[in-house]
Amino acid sequence: MYKIVEWKKDKVVMIDQTLLPTRVVYRTYNDYKAVAKAIKELVVRGAPAIGVAAAMGIALGAKKIKQTTLKDFKREFKKVATTIAKTRPTAVNLFWAVKRMNDIVEEFTGVNIDTLKKKLITEAKNIHREDIDRNKSIGKHGGRLLKTNSTVLTHCNAGALATAGYGTALGVIRGAVAAGKNIKVFADETRPVLQGARLTAWELMQDNLDVTLITDNMAGYMMREGLVDCVVVGSDRIASNGDVANKIGTYTVAVLAKAHGLPFYVAAPTSTIDMAAKSGDDIPIEERSSKEITHVRGKRIAPVGVKTLNPAFDITPARLVTAIITEKGVIKPPFKAGIKKQFAKKKK
Ligand code: MRU
């Protein structure tokens, strides 16, 4: 599989997801402000991948700080971390990664700033490596939930491309396939940015997995026809009561799954759980440019001047979620207690 985000020769290298699937282009970043712009413009996207890119962007910015006293370094570091933190509001993995990087600075007691810079690079690399390990565990736990022969519907891209590698929702599918199960996937195209059509379909085909692309408004039909056995999606932020923020349209799929008596699973690492959010009401929803709706791949499809609304995410209430799969295991309702128990076990 392709590398998604990488620390290479003291630079950040990322696959440009805005160009997939027609072109596979890698971008090299040597400036943290360019990394921030890349996060905003979806060159890198998907909650865990945003977290990894954020950490690497911060390491890059820190590396270039010229100040040599800890006090002056901290002042400049704050500017770097704030710029990165302001890129996208919903995926909590971003703020989780910024905090981990910030903690390295706060806990540093030495005087040699070069040592601190090295520690920051190591932490960014750790965040990258840990994410892959977590996704593989999610795949093992979640893979057990899928029946031997089943068709899974997924929304958006919660695959390798949305993480450091392997994926969360697609990690569950990979885990089931690795366990010898015969899994077919329906990928919702996921308007308006088409992460399902462009990214999920492409990445599953790269692995020779059985994927069928459908438009978002076909999910209900497929379920009523008995063609779907369960839904597996990722998440950008999970509140402490089990409410789930994920790509716009996820809520609709969850309502449909409930209406058809199908399990609705959410796969995410514990870095996606926000214990400070009591419910979905506490999760900020990113509003993106109207151009994502009025244009398709740069071509206008709507009248000039039409009013638009473009929330990039929605909230699926916990009551519609069958189980949350993290690297620590499967959480079943009541989620509040289950999440608290898993979170207590969390090391970082
Ligand atoms: O706007 P995006 O592409 O960053 O949104 C991505 C999603 O909503 C994913 O489903 C979510 O981040 C889970 S990724 C493992």
Side-chain angles (χ1 to χ4, degrees):
M1 183 63 200
Y2 294 87
K3 295 246 166 57
I4 318 303
V5 190
E6 215 188 343
W7 182 268
K8 206 172 171 185
K9 295 184 186 154
D10 274 352
K11 294 188 177 70
V12 181
V13 179
M14 299 195 278
I15 192 166
D16 187 341
Q17 299 197 31
T18 66
L19 302 177
L20 290 172
T22 43
R23 287 172 64 202
V24 179
V25 175
Y26 279 89
R27 308 260 180 224
T28 302
Y29 297 89
N30 194 19
D31 167 27
Y32 80 91
K33 285 186 183 156
V35 173
K37 190 165 176 276
I39 296 173
K40 264 190 206 156
E41 293 177 353
L42 312 184
V43 168
V44 61
R45 36 62 54 201
I50 292 171
V52 174
M56 291 189 178
I58 290 175
L60 196 59
K63 192 171 74 69
K64 292 202 173 169
I65 294 175
K66 298 225 162 42
Q67 280 70 8
T68 50
T69 70
L70 188 55
K71 189 166 167 260
D72 292 344
F73 177 89
K74 280 187 177 177
R75 192 188 58 240
E76 294 306 307
F77 181 83
K78 204 173 164 193
K79 286 184 203 161
V80 174
T82 308
T83 303
I84 295 285
K86 277 189 180 154
T87 49
R88 294 191 74 190
T90 305
V92 78
N93 311 61
L94 168 66
F95 307 99
W96 169 87
V98 170
K99 185 178 178 312
R100 271 186 65 167
M101 297 300 277
N102 202 43
D103 287 350
I104 296 291
V105 175
E106 287 310 313
E107 283 159 19
F108 185 70
T109 48
V111 283
N112 188 337
I113 296 299
D114 282 340
T115 307
L116 176 53
K117 289 178 180 175
K118 280 189 192 128
K119 276 181 184 284
L120 286 163
I121 294 169
T122 303
E123 187 68 349
K125 285 183 184 167
N126 287 345
I127 289 174
H128 181 268
R129 183 180 33 78
E130 289 165 19
D131 188 60
I132 301 178
D133 294 345
R134 283 187 176 135
N135 295 337
K136 290 195 172 155
S137 296
I138 288 173
K140 275 204 187 109
H141 294 303
R144 291 190 196 115
L145 298 174
L146 305 191
K147 294 196 202 107
T148 308
N149 291 297
S150 53
T151 302
V152 177
L153 185 137
T154 191
H155 190 74
C156 194
N157 174 266
L161 287 163
T163 62
Y166 203 73
T168 54
L170 300 192
V172 168
I173 288 158
R174 289 192 167 99
V177 170
K181 296 184 180 178
N182 175 27
I183 308 293
K184 292 187 167 65
V185 182
F186 275 125
D188 277 353
E189 65 172 345
T190 318
R191 276 279 286 152
V193 182
L194 302 170
Q195 288 93 333
R198 296 189 302 106
L199 308 177
T200 298
W202 181 76
E203 114 163 44
L204 291 177
M205 287 172 79
Q206 295 299 312
D207 278 2
N208 285 320
L209 293 169
D210 187 329
V211 59
T212 302
L213 177 64
I214 58 170
T215 63
D216 297 330
N217 49 3
M218 293 175 189
Y221 175 84
M222 299 303 164
M223 289 181 187
R224 197 175 131 72
E225 289 293 300
L227 299 174
V228 178
D229 294 300
C230 70
V231 176
V232 186
V233 295
S235 174
D236 292 84
R237 195 185 295 220
I238 299 172
S240 60
N241 71 341
D243 287 354
V244 171
N246 193 44
K247 181 52 59 194
I248 192 75
T250 302
Y251 171 54
T252 317
V253 176
V255 171
L256 283 171
K258 189 73 163 183
H260 291 86
L262 300 174
F264 182 91
Y265 299 119
V266 176
T270 46
S271 56
T272 302
I273 298 174
D274 180 3
M275 291 306 278
K278 286 198 178 67
S279 76
D281 293 343
D282 295 331
I283 301 178
I285 300 293
E286 179 180 10
E287 180 77 25
R288 291 188 62 86
S289 159
S290 63
K291 213 173 162 199
E292 288 181 355
I293 299 194
T294 56
H295 291 65
V296 174
R297 308 306 280 155
K299 195 172 183 305
R300 175 174 283 284
I301 53 152
V304 175
V306 68
K307 284 198 287 181
T308 58
L309 279 175
N310 186 16
F313 302 96
D314 61 24
I315 304 293
T316 297
R319 70 186 150 77
L320 297 178
V321 179
T322 310
I324 297 171
I325 308 149
T326 77
E327 75 276 12
K328 308 243 178 225
V330 176
I331 312 173
K332 294 212 169 121
F335 290 118
K336 209 171 162 180
I339 287 175
K340 204 170 165 191
K341 209 169 143 198
Q342 274 208 3
F343 209 79
K345 281 194 233 162
K346 207 175 142 196
K347 272 195 275 157
K348 285 186 173 181

